[in-house]
Amino acid sequence: MTTPEELAAAAKALMKSLGLSGIKIATNTGLSTGTISELINGKSFPRDETWELFVTGGCGQPWEMWRQARARAQRDLLRRRPPEELADRLEEAQERIQALESAAIEAAKRLALLEEQVAAIQSARSSERRAEDEEAAQRRQENAADVARQRQFGRALLTEVPVDFEHTMADGAWLAADVDGFVARVRDLALTSMDELRIFLATTPMSFPYAAMGDIGYYKEGVREYMVRLRLFASMYSKVSPEELDEMLASGVGGS
């Protein structure tokens, strides 16, 4: 088999010897019946892959002998073509190569542009993250400074407004247990949060239950004076700026 015609005739003879129809081969290979008809009748010269599928998948034959026969037939077919046709095919191939090269260059340009855009987006996001991290760090520093300032002011408050009222069992005294609970709450808040302490003082009534006969109490005048002084001193915290507050604390407001 050295010519396309001989190759096509051999393929038709192979089908006949195996008792195969075009429909059967089409079913086994996925090739169309039209393609199979053109192949065995020499109407076209299919690609190598189509021939291999016909031979191996459709007819169940080894490919190598047929591959060599197709190569010989293809060389014969090329020798038959006039130079003009070959020149046209060469020119067409060159045009396709140029088109592919142009497409590759354009694709490379688009890729470079996309890479620049991605880099710009990543840089912007990185800058945003750095700015957010810096803001968060600044807020943490400010919060830490505010907490430290509140606790320092709270200690000054406890020193400036000491608990100096005395126990009594006289009539009209306020119950010591309730007053002691109030004082303990003031101490806890003064050492943790002046903001919460101010709210606590503003919402706590200026009175306590009276002590029953035989119960220990505190003179209400002394307790009330203590509460008034607490509110006045605590109100200073919200009326001055952090800078002024730092100066007050540095100057020894409230003693040690």
Side-chain angles (χ1 to χ4, degrees):
M1 296 180 286
T2 59
T3 67
E5 293 79 10
E6 291 174 347
L7 187 63
K12 180 181 286 189
L14 177 63
M15 282 182 58
K16 185 176 180 180
S17 67
L18 296 173
L20 296 171
S21 66
I23 295 176
K24 179 64 175 176
I25 293 180
T27 302
N28 292 340
T29 61
L31 297 173
S32 69
T33 55
T35 297
I36 296 169
S37 176
E38 291 180 354
L39 182 149
I40 63 176
N41 290 303
K43 301 296 184 182
S44 66
F45 194 78
R47 296 177 303 172
D48 198 68
E49 294 83 358
T50 303
W51 266 104
E52 182 178 5
L53 191 58
F54 171 84
V55 171
T56 60
C59 300
Q61 301 299 305
W63 169 237
E64 181 57 26
M65 181 184 71
W66 287 88
R67 184 191 67 78
Q68 294 177 11
R70 183 190 179 280
R72 291 192 296 271
Q74 187 174 29
R75 288 194 293 270
D76 181 70
L77 181 63
L78 290 175
R79 282 195 297 269
R80 296 184 195 178
R81 288 177 176 169
E84 295 79 7
E85 182 181 350
L86 294 178
D88 291 340
R89 292 176 66 86
L90 178 60
E91 183 178 356
E92 181 182 352
Q94 290 174 339
E95 289 176 353
R96 290 181 180 179
I97 292 173
Q98 290 176 355
L100 289 174
E101 290 176 346
S102 298
I105 293 173
E106 187 63 28
K109 290 180 179 179
R110 290 198 296 269
L111 179 61
L113 179 59
L114 287 175
E115 290 176 345
E116 291 178 1
Q117 292 174 343
V118 169
I121 292 173
Q122 291 176 339
S123 177
R125 288 179 177 175
S126 178
S127 298
E128 291 176 359
R129 285 194 294 269
R130 284 197 299 271
E132 291 173 356
D133 291 343
E134 291 174 358
E135 290 178 3
Q138 181 65 26
R139 287 194 296 271
R140 287 194 295 270
Q141 292 177 356
E142 293 174 353
N143 290 339
D146 183 61
V147 169
R149 188 181 294 110
Q150 290 195 48
R151 290 176 178 175
Q152 187 177 2
F153 191 88
R155 289 192 294 269
L157 177 145
L158 296 177
T159 301
E160 187 74 16
V161 188
V163 177
D164 56 1
F165 37 86
E166 298 179 355
H167 291 96
T168 181
M169 298 184 66
D171 293 341
W174 282 340
L175 187 63
D178 285 30
V179 175
D180 288 341
F182 169 79
V183 172
R185 182 61 174 160
V186 167
R187 182 176 297 275
D188 289 342
L189 291 177
L191 297 176
T192 55
S193 172
M194 281 300 303
D195 290 332
E196 293 186 21
L197 177 58
R198 288 190 299 106
I199 295 173
F200 174 70
L201 293 175
T203 56
T204 300
M206 294 284 288
S207 63
F208 294 92
Y210 285 99
M213 184 174 295
D215 289 338
I216 298 176
Y218 291 114
Y219 289 111
K220 60 183 181 182
E221 291 79 7
V223 176
R224 185 177 287 113
E225 180 183 356
Y226 168 75
M227 296 179 72
V228 170
R229 293 181 62 198
L230 276 177
R231 291 188 176 185
L232 289 174
F233 197 88
S235 67
M236 293 171 56
Y237 184 81
S238 61
K239 293 180 179 179
V240 297
S241 66
E243 293 75 15
E244 293 172 329
L245 191 57
D246 289 340
E247 292 180 1
M248 292 171 56
L249 294 172
S251 65
V253 173
S256 59

